[in-house]
């Protein structure tokens, strides 16, 4: 029976909430990540067939758990290459698992299952692209076409990344378990890195026709909130959540009605989301209370908080921002941090000071194709009155930019300076 649009939306909403728990529970029991996701997908297909006819059950999570469990038992019973392992697993699925009502009420296991799922999908043996795709699939509940649209890559590419990721996890025999205490920090860092990659791609898209992609930011925020609930004592988790809340609070003011970027100095701050800012500032305070003030995410959140607290652009505390970038450069050195520090220094001490700092990046190989380096140089040269040099810098930045909106804005800034003489 065809699924009407209303039913499909309701099922998708339930699926995005329940899928991570379902896959986590199945993966813990089956000890096979790929099989767990396959069985979970079968349960989704069954829901698409049943719920439009019979209605969404009162406890959809329990329904999916029961259906998936039966499907797993069926797969194991009919496996052509039944092995002792399968027999043991079937025994465990049939006999050792508690009855249905106990399965869904096992709240104590849900948190651990979700945390195992986070650590598995974000395992360092996977490439960055694979971790992002797998995390959005199993934790974000996005379909392959949705992930492909979000990152502007072919569906086949995303499908291959997910398949390859599962194969690598199987080949490397990555256990579906919480890492030992000694590995918890690095593994959590990997998970946070993946979430922030997803957010950043939504906040300032690296390519395509749209400068921002709210869906990705929404997913990243949801994932961060999940991790916060699972690891509430980790300050960097709160730091990352604070950073994303503060950044996303500016969404409505970052583009005009046509989707063109609006730079920070020109944004209408009355359009910033006060609720999101309050949540971000509260999360930052919590990270600092837990002793995480010097963490990379907390420091970046502190930088975002400086902008959130300024009533207008000219009231920005640039001295504090320069100091925060210096601290960030010590704990997480990168040429991008140095570039941002140069921007802040130019606001504090004048454009020549910023331009001098940019010279330290002139021979940095990682910045060779980074469009924001000539973009910042163009801005500082314009403020110094060197309009022809600024024009050339903006055109160079536009040539390097892959995002269409950003490229158009850079070309407009170059054109506004008049022709090269």
């Amino acid at each position: 029976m065809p699924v009407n649009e209303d039913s499909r939306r309701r099922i998708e909403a339930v699926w995005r909430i329940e899928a991570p728990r379902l896959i986590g529970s199945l993966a813990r029991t089956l000890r096979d990540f790929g099989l767990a996701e396959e069985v979970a997908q079968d349960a989704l297909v069954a829901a698409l067939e049943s719920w439009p006819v019979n209605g969404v059950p009162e406890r959809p999570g329990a329904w999916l758990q029961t259906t998936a469990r039966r499907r797993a038992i069926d797969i194991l019973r009919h496996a052509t290459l039944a092995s002792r392992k399968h027999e043991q697993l079937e025994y465990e699925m049939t006999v050792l698992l508690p009855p249905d009502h106990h399965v869904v009420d096992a709240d104590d296991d849900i948190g651990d299952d979700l945390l195992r799922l986070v650590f598995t999908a974000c395992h360092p043996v996977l490439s960055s692209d694979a971790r992002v795709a797998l995390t959005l699939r199993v934790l974000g509940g996005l379909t392959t076409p949705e992930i492909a649209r979000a990152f502007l890559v072919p569906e086949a590419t995303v499908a291959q990344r997910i398949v390859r990721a599962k194969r690598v996890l199987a080949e490397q025999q990555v256990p579906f378990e919480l890492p030992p205490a000694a590995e918890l920090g690095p593994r959590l860092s990997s998970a946070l890195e993946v979430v922030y990659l997803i957010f950043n791609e939504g906040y300032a898209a690296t390519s395509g026709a749209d400068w921002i992609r709210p869906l990705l930011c929404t997913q990243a925020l949801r994932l961060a909130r999940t991790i916060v609930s699972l690891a509430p004592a980790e300050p960097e988790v709160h730091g990352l959540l604070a950073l994303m809340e503060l950044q996303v609070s500016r969404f409505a003011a970052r583009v005009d009605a046509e989707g063109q970027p609006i730079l920070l100095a020109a944004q209408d701050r009355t359009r910033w989301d006060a609720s999101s800012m309050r949540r971000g500032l509260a999360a930052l305070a919590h990270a600092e209370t837990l002793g995480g003030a010097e963490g990379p995410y907390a420091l970046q959140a502190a930088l975002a908080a400086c902008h959130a607290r300024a009533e207008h652009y000219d009231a920005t505390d640039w001295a504090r921002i320069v100091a925060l970038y210096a601290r960030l450069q010590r704990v997480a050195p990168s040429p991008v941090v140095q570039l941002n520090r140069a921007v802040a220094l130019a606001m504090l001490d004048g454009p020549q000071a910023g331009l001098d700092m940019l010279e330290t990046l002139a021979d940095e190989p990682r910045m060779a194709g980074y469009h924001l380096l000539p973009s910042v140089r163009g801005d500082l040269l314009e403020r110094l009155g060197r309009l022809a040099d600024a024009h050339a810098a903006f055109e160079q930045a536009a040539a390097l930019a892959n995002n269409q909106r950003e490229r158009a804005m850079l070309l407009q800034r170059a054109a506004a300076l008049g022709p090269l003489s």
Side-chain angles (χ1 to χ4, degrees):
M1 176 181 177
V3 181
N4 64 44
E5 194 57 32
D6 182 59
S7 294
R8 180 177 293 280
R9 279 199 297 270
R10 292 183 65 192
I11 294 170
E12 285 178 351
V14 170
W15 177 249
R16 287 188 175 170
I17 294 171
E18 299 295 340
R21 301 178 182 182
L22 179 61
I23 296 172
S25 172
L26 289 166
R28 173 169 54 84
T29 307
L30 295 169
R31 303 166 200 157
D32 186 322
F33 188 84
L35 181 59
E37 203 202 356
E38 178 185 331
V39 171
Q41 289 289 331
D42 287 347
L44 172 62
V45 171
L48 287 167
E49 293 172 349
S50 171
W51 294 0
V53 177
N54 303 313
V56 177
E58 185 178 348
R59 302 173 71 188
W63 192 97
L64 289 166
Q65 285 272 9
T66 301
T67 303
R69 176 172 170 267
R70 288 173 179 158
R71 175 62 178 150
I73 292 171
D74 188 57
I75 288 176
L76 295 175
R77 280 178 174 161
H78 293 86
T80 54
L81 298 175
S83 64
R84 292 183 64 184
K85 175 185 175 183
H86 284 177
E87 291 173 1
Q88 178 63 27
L89 287 172
E90 182 180 353
Y91 170 78
E92 292 179 3
M93 291 293 295
T94 307
V95 178
L96 298 185
L97 278 181
D100 295 353
H101 67 282
H102 287 164
V103 171
V104 297
D105 289 341
D107 290 338
D108 290 344
D109 288 337
I110 289 176
D112 283 350
D113 285 345
L114 283 174
L115 198 54
R116 290 186 186 99
L117 203 57
V118 169
F119 283 123
T120 304
C122 300
H123 198 283
V125 299
L126 302 176
S127 69
S128 176
D129 287 342
R131 275 184 278 164
V132 167
L134 197 59
T135 300
L136 285 175
R137 174 67 172 270
V138 302
L139 282 162
L142 269 64
T143 64
T144 299
E146 285 175 326
I147 299 170
R149 283 198 299 273
F151 284 91
L152 304 179
V153 296
E155 288 182 28
T157 300
V158 173
Q160 288 169 2
R161 286 175 184 169
I162 293 172
V163 169
R164 194 179 303 119
K166 293 178 190 173
R167 187 170 65 240
V168 170
L169 291 175
E171 290 173 350
Q172 298 289 325
Q173 297 184 330
V174 173
F176 187 75
E177 63 185 18
L178 297 178
E183 297 178 16
L184 186 61
R187 293 281 296 279
L188 187 60
S189 295
S190 174
L192 298 184
E193 178 189 353
V194 169
V195 172
Y196 197 40
L197 277 173
I198 294 169
F199 181 86
N200 264 340
E201 187 57 30
Y203 188 73
T206 53
S207 60
D210 297 320
W211 196 37
I212 58 177
R213 295 179 191 147
L215 173 63
L216 287 177
C217 290
T218 302
Q219 286 297 324
L221 269 171
R222 195 175 73 78
L223 291 171
R225 288 171 185 146
T226 299
I227 297 176
V228 163
S229 70
L230 298 172
E234 294 292 333
E236 273 292 82
V237 176
H238 295 277
L240 177 59
L241 181 61
L243 171 60
M244 294 195 299
E245 288 279 14
L246 289 168
Q247 287 184 317
V248 87
S249 71
R250 305 178 204 151
F251 247 36
R254 292 189 74 232
V255 293
D256 63 17
E258 285 73 43
Q260 296 293 342
I262 301 175
L263 299 181
L264 181 64
Q267 288 176 14
D268 177 0
R269 299 187 178 214
T270 63
R271 300 188 66 201
W272 288 5
D273 185 338
S275 297
S276 186
M277 277 195 286
R278 280 196 296 273
R279 289 195 297 271
L281 293 173
L284 174 60
H286 197 65
E288 292 171 343
T289 300
L290 291 171
E294 295 302 310
Y297 294 119
L299 283 171
Q300 291 177 76
L303 284 159
C306 288
H307 296 296
R309 291 177 175 125
E311 292 186 4
H312 50 83
Y313 189 72
D314 292 338
T316 307
D317 187 348
W318 293 109
R320 176 167 169 73
I321 289 178
V322 169
L324 285 168
Y325 271 122
R327 288 159 59 186
L328 182 60
Q329 185 69 4
R330 282 196 294 274
V331 300
S334 88
V336 174
V337 172
Q338 185 74 347
L339 176 65
N340 291 332
R341 188 180 170 194
V343 173
L345 187 64
M347 295 305 301
L348 182 66
D349 293 337
Q352 188 59 54
L355 207 56
D356 292 342
M357 185 170 282
L358 285 191
E359 293 304 315
T360 64
L361 298 172
D363 298 324
E364 170 57 60
R366 289 174 289 177
M367 301 296 277
Y370 191 52
H371 70 286
L372 289 182
L373 178 58
S375 173
V376 169
R377 181 179 288 117
D379 184 70
L380 299 181
L381 289 168
E382 181 182 2
R383 289 168 57 190
L384 286 168
R386 295 166 56 182
L387 302 187
D389 291 336
H391 185 128
F394 283 132
E395 287 204 331
Q396 181 189 2
L400 294 172
N402 291 319
N403 185 279
Q404 296 172 24
R405 299 283 187 181
E406 209 167 12
R407 186 186 309 126
M409 180 185 66
L410 290 164
L411 289 174
Q412 286 173 2
R413 294 196 68 179
L417 297 174
L420 283 172
S421 57

